[in-house]
Amino acid sequence: MKRSFKTSIALSVFTLISLWLSVTAPAGTTLFSFNAGKELFAIPDFEIPVAGASWIVFLVLLVVTGFSWWLSIQRKKTPLWLTGIFAFALVQQVLVVLFVGQMFPVTTTLQGSLALAVPLIFGALAGVLSERVGVVNIAIEGQLLAGAFASALITSITHSLTLGLIAAAISGALVAGILAIFSIKYVVDQIIVGVVVNVLVIGLTSFFYSTVMARDLIALNQPERFDQINIPLLSQIPIIGPLLFSQTLIVYLMYAAVAVVYIALFKTRWGLRLRAVGEYPKAADTVGIKVYRTRYISVMLGGALAGLGGAFFTLGAVGSFSKEMTSGAGYIALAALIFGRWNPLLATLAALMFGFAQNLQSVLSIIGSDVPSQFLLMLPYALTIVAVAGLVGKVTGPAATGKPYIKS
Amino acid sequence: MNKVLKNNVVKQILNPSSLVTLLAILAAFLIGGLLIAFANENVQTTAGYLFARPGDFFLAVWNSVFGAYDALFRGSIFNYKAIDSVGMIKPLTETLAYATPITLAGLGMAVAFRSGLFNIGGTGQIIFGAMGAAWVGFSFDLPAIIHLPFAVFAGVLAAALFGGFVGFLKAATGANEVIVTIMLNYIAGLLLFYVLTTPLFQAPGATNPISPEIVASAKYWRFMGDSFRINASFFVMLAMVAAVWWLLNRSSVGFQFRALGHNPSASKVAGINIGLNYVLVMAVSGALAGLAGTSQVLGAEKFLTPSVAASFGFDAITVALLGRSKPLGVLAAGILFGALRAGAVIMQANQKVPIDIVLIVQSLVVLFIAAPPLVRFMFGMSRAAKKAVTA
């Protein structure tokens, strides 16, 4: 294997940043608080001295970076878990420094992060199903937005959350259907279709919002919202209880979706066929797999999932539809997909990380930190560029993604 | 992205079929009309007693659609209902004022498409152009003869570097330019918002994110008077149409660009420096988009605001596709979409048809021209369509 120092160089740069943070670390302590109120037992808050913690983190990073250089020289790759430890430690240092003299509410921050990550995860799963079968899905944004609009409208009219969810899934699948028809049947470039479909959906939802919904907002845009469901016992475990088991139905659906997509993709015959179509459609066709049908089904299933993610905006979080309310979440989901290397579990982790960055920004603005919020909001986009530039390991999608298959 | 696909895209974009283009535009307007009628209150009321008095229903449909497209015409080409001659010709100048940044940015996207690169980053590059131009425009006080060129140069340079960075990343690491440019659009938008809250860019005393007014010496000349938004950047745009035509069709650099677009491997074998050309293509593409940004901030508007790029980034992609990435085609498409933008303002004000209908019509036009068999099918030329699909 060719020697590649890209990862080691990137880690070194971040270690230098950590050194700089340690040198300039302010005196004082940061209080970490873990309690959200209804746990079985409380974890005591603890105070961390900023300077000491900073230097410890720096040493950890230094060791990891050194190890990475050693691996590179040995022509070995830096394993992903090592990069993971590195990132986790660096985040701890940044938190300790940012919240100096303040309290950092761990549990509530994580709760908020999960809420922001839910649509991203659904969107990323849609991307996984679509791109693994060979269709580039730039249109996640449109699928989310269509789901948000349809669920708000249908639940407002019917007062049924279930129908709202179904409508969201159907509308997401329809948007994905447009993507599928144009890229599979009409062999239009998939990136063009994706970009254009997003704008088409923005246009359609905004148009009908202003003309139809706005005429009677109470009857047409005031859907019920999902109630929080506390799972007995589990919801009372400190940290993970309030975080994972005291959520709305959509979030529980999300857990199921991640598991199902992962298992279906990697442990079933259907998943194997799907991936075969995405990697080498001609070979798949030769052994009798129906390439077109597999692509249509998988892309539209993905769209249905993204639609559910869209419903989270209206039925799970805000409680009403507004123009362009997804505001780029679809593109962050795309970023999570790429950052997670087209793997449902890694993409979910990436989405959680992006949700954390977004939420940290609002927590910081509450404590009045002078860190410009825009830079934290930029993080998902910047990290994705770092990822596609190959600085954290090689990122390669399924081989046939973006290529139309023309049966001869 | 593989090479076969790239070829396919270049062919798709260049495939000349003016009939399909015309029909695609027609179909998009027809569907737009259907939506306008569907959302119209009178149409909905009369639909309630459709079978009792069908005439009312059809009249309501006609009124809503005709009213909307009539307003679109009056807002974009010629206002025959205006009270004076200024009011009559103003719509046409508005169309050209909108067409200027759209066409400029569209030319940028066209250069990239012809070279086989997908520049989705028009928005970000427009923002960088506007930031560079605005900063020079309000920070200095120089004679007009050097101030305006200096401001334009700063904007173009900023955007060219921003675009060129994408080309560099692609050349150095193989990073897919589609993903990178999409992400950079968001980064540029957030950066713009950030700088507009710092003393470097924010107007003194302002609480909202807005820059100081551009100094008069750095503004494009509004040659029809200050109440018209059309300005000298319109002529810059026309010059750029000619320049891009020359670049692509007559210069050796342009030949290398096109060779890259047709077949990167063959270009490499023929001795073309692929990496350098990626950087150059993206820099030129970014520079043109940046010029669109300068036209906005030094011409049509007088301040830098977070919404400076508006939807011009997307418009640019659509005009490049509609114009088949050829300079004159881009100009024609730019004027068409400029007219849509200008007319939609009046349509929204007079007929209460939301401006979003423009996005719908625009995206439908692009979807249809990209899929000729679908257009032929819709207009009943289905036998030809079948042939095309199976062939």
Side-chain angles (χ1 to χ4, degrees):
Chain A
M1 202 181 96
K2 225 178 89 181
R3 270 186 204 175
S4 168
F5 293 104
K6 276 199 249 175
T7 311
S8 314
I9 292 170
L11 293 185
S12 307
V13 171
F14 284 111
T15 309
L16 282 177
I17 294 175
S18 164
L19 176 65
W20 178 75
L21 282 175
S22 304
V23 172
T24 59
T29 57
T30 301
L31 186 69
F32 280 70
S33 154
F34 294 93
N35 300 307
K38 41 185 178 183
E39 292 87 348
L40 282 175
F41 56 92
I43 293 183
D45 298 350
F46 59 88
E47 271 186 86
I48 296 176
V50 175
S54 277
W55 284 108
I56 293 175
V57 168
F58 169 67
L59 286 178
V60 171
L61 300 192
L62 202 61
V63 170
V64 173
T65 308
F67 189 55
S68 163
W69 277 102
W70 183 76
L71 285 174
S72 299
I73 292 166
Q74 303 281 310
R75 295 165 195 264
K76 283 179 191 152
K77 276 195 236 168
T78 309
L80 199 59
W81 58 267
L82 206 60
T83 324
I85 290 177
F86 184 95
F88 182 77
L90 186 61
V91 168
Q92 300 312 309
Q93 181 181 21
V94 171
L95 286 179
V96 169
V97 172
L98 283 180
F99 285 85
V100 61
Q102 305 262 6
M103 184 194 77
F104 177 63
V106 178
T107 309
T108 47
T109 306
L110 290 178
Q111 272 177 325
S113 312
L114 182 65
L116 285 169
V118 170
L120 304 182
I121 295 173
F122 274 115
L125 290 178
V128 168
L129 281 179
S130 180
E131 304 215 348
R132 279 281 182 175
V133 83
V135 177
V136 173
N137 195 348
I138 306 272
I140 301 173
E141 175 84 359
Q143 294 155 7
L144 287 174
L145 193 59
F149 180 82
S151 59
L153 185 68
I154 297 300
T155 302
S156 301
I157 294 174
T158 63
H159 301 286
S160 158
L161 288 161
T162 319
L163 284 180
L165 276 187
I166 294 172
I170 292 176
S171 56
L174 283 179
V175 174
I178 300 177
L179 173 71
I181 289 177
F182 275 92
S183 48
I184 299 169
K185 181 166 182 196
Y186 293 112
V187 207
V188 181
D189 183 82
Q190 299 169 2
I191 293 162
I192 294 179
V193 187
V195 171
V196 172
V197 162
N198 281 341
V199 177
L200 179 64
V201 176
I202 290 178
L204 284 172
T205 52
S206 301
F207 180 79
F208 284 112
Y209 174 80
S210 315
T211 52
V212 179
M213 253 185 190
R215 229 176 265 157
D216 192 352
L217 285 175
I218 295 169
L220 298 176
N221 193 16
Q222 222 174 48
E224 285 77 3
R225 276 164 62 180
F226 278 105
D227 291 324
Q228 205 169 293
I229 304 170
N230 295 317
I231 294 182
L233 235 56
L234 284 178
S235 67
Q236 290 166 314
I237 303 171
I239 308 180
I240 63 166
L243 177 60
L244 299 179
F245 301 111
S246 184
Q247 292 286 0
T248 59
L249 180 70
I250 304 187
V251 180
Y252 296 123
L253 277 179
M254 182 270 283
Y255 300 156
V258 173
V260 168
V261 169
Y262 178 77
I263 293 168
L265 211 50
F266 295 109
K267 310 284 176 200
T268 67
R269 188 187 300 180
W270 180 76
L272 183 65
R273 289 182 174 174
L274 190 159
R275 285 180 291 134
V277 169
E279 295 287 347
Y280 199 168
K282 196 163 188 180
D285 197 1
T286 314
V287 296
I289 300 170
K290 293 195 169 58
V291 173
Y292 294 150
R293 204 179 69 182
T294 314
R295 284 193 168 173
Y296 275 114
I297 291 176
S298 186
V299 171
M300 290 181 70
L301 271 180
L305 283 180
L308 292 179
F312 182 78
F313 283 100
T314 47
L315 308 184
V318 183
S320 63
F321 178 82
S322 56
K323 280 187 185 185
E324 294 181 51
M325 72 185 306
T326 49
S327 59
Y331 289 106
I332 303 186
L334 181 73
L337 164 74
I338 296 162
F339 207 73
R341 301 173 189 192
W342 290 267
N343 176 316
L345 299 182
L346 290 179
T348 303
L349 281 180
L352 287 170
M353 191 171 75
F354 293 165
F356 181 73
Q358 280 188 308
N359 191 45
L360 193 60
Q361 168 258 327
S362 49
V363 176
L364 279 173
S365 67
I366 291 169
I367 65 161
S369 165
D370 53 0
V371 177
S373 60
Q374 285 83 12
F375 287 100
L376 275 167
L377 292 175
M378 273 180 206
L379 206 61
Y381 309 116
L383 282 176
T384 304
I385 294 176
V386 171
V388 291
L391 295 180
V392 285
K394 203 163 166 54
V395 176
T396 355
T401 299
K403 297 175 199 168
Y405 179 67
I406 299 161
K407 206 176 163 123
S408 46
Chain B
M1 308 263 335
N2 76 328
K3 287 143 203 160
V4 182
L5 171 70
K6 283 270 168 68
N7 279 339
N8 191 13
V9 173
V10 172
K11 269 183 209 143
Q12 260 177 29
I13 291 171
L14 294 181
N15 172 30
S17 166
S18 38
L19 180 65
V20 167
T21 307
L22 279 179
L23 290 179
I25 295 171
L26 184 64
F29 272 97
L30 283 176
I31 295 179
L34 281 180
L35 290 174
I36 290 170
F38 177 77
N40 185 277
E41 234 172 338
N42 284 337
V43 174
Q44 285 170 358
T45 335
T46 51
Y49 51 92
L50 173 63
F51 294 105
R53 284 160 64 189
D56 283 11
F57 172 73
F58 289 112
L59 190 66
V61 170
W62 169 255
N63 281 340
S64 66
V65 178
F66 178 78
Y69 284 148
D70 177 53
L72 189 71
F73 177 81
R74 281 187 287 120
S76 61
I77 298 168
F78 183 74
N79 187 359
Y80 57 84
K81 285 187 186 167
I83 38 167
D84 55 357
S85 58
V86 170
M88 285 180 182
I89 56 158
K90 182 149 190 191
L92 189 62
T93 67
E94 272 297 294
T95 292
L96 297 179
Y98 275 108
T100 302
I102 296 178
T103 308
L104 278 170
L107 287 171
M109 305 306 111
V111 169
F113 290 164
R114 287 285 286 274
S115 317
L117 290 179
F118 258 118
N119 182 2
I120 311 285
T123 309
Q125 291 145 13
I126 291 171
I127 287 175
F128 264 67
M131 279 202 291
W135 187 74
V136 172
F138 64 69
S139 302
F140 296 87
D141 212 353
L142 301 164
I145 190 86
I146 51 171
H147 198 180
L148 175 63
F150 182 31
V152 172
F153 173 75
V156 169
L157 183 69
L161 289 175
F162 193 62
F165 170 68
V166 179
F168 167 76
L169 269 187
K170 187 177 177 70
T173 68
N176 182 324
E177 76 279 6
V178 174
I179 306 295
V180 175
T181 48
I182 287 177
M183 301 301 154
L184 283 180
N185 282 342
Y186 281 94
I187 291 179
L190 289 164
L191 191 70
L192 172 63
F193 204 89
Y194 168 69
V195 296
L196 280 174
T197 59
T198 61
L200 190 64
F201 272 85
Q202 195 172 26
T207 48
N208 51 339
I210 189 166
S211 76
E213 187 174 345
I214 306 295
V215 179
S217 56
K219 282 182 194 156
Y220 283 114
W221 178 39
R222 290 196 171 182
F223 55 86
M224 290 188 68
D226 205 43
S227 61
F228 290 88
R229 293 194 317 127
I230 189 166
N231 55 71
S233 66
F234 173 69
F235 299 110
V236 174
M237 180 270 280
L238 291 181
M240 283 301 133
V241 172
V244 169
W245 179 85
W246 179 84
L247 174 83
L248 285 176
N249 296 308
R250 288 291 178 272
S251 72
S252 66
V253 176
F255 176 77
Q256 297 195 0
F257 284 7
R258 282 183 295 133
L260 197 64
H262 279 290
N263 193 335
S265 319
S267 317
K268 194 173 179 182
V269 173
I272 292 176
N273 183 341
I274 304 253
L276 177 70
N277 272 293
Y278 279 152
V279 180
L280 278 180
V281 168
M282 287 304 295
V284 170
S285 181
L288 285 163
L291 212 47
T294 70
S295 142
Q296 266 308 91
V297 80
L298 306 177
E301 294 167 22
K302 297 164 184 172
F303 302 90
L304 182 66
T305 62
S307 59
V308 66
S311 64
F312 293 130
F314 174 71
D315 295 342
I317 298 172
T318 56
V319 297
L321 292 171
L322 181 58
R324 308 277 176 200
S325 287
K326 290 176 178 163
L328 279 176
V330 173
L331 175 63
I335 291 175
L336 175 71
F337 284 165
L340 270 181
R341 291 258 156 230
V345 178
I346 306 299
M347 192 161 71
Q348 172 153 300
N350 290 0
Q351 302 288 317
K352 293 187 187 131
V353 174
I355 209 160
D356 311 293
I357 193 79
V358 174
L359 290 181
I360 302 176
V361 170
Q362 233 177 322
S363 32
L364 288 176
V365 168
V366 175
L367 279 182
F368 291 152
I369 54 158
L374 179 65
V375 176
R376 292 196 205 102
F377 172 75
M378 281 192 299
F379 287 90
M381 299 181 278
S382 53
R383 212 194 300 157
K386 251 181 210 154
K387 235 192 227 163
V389 170
T390 48

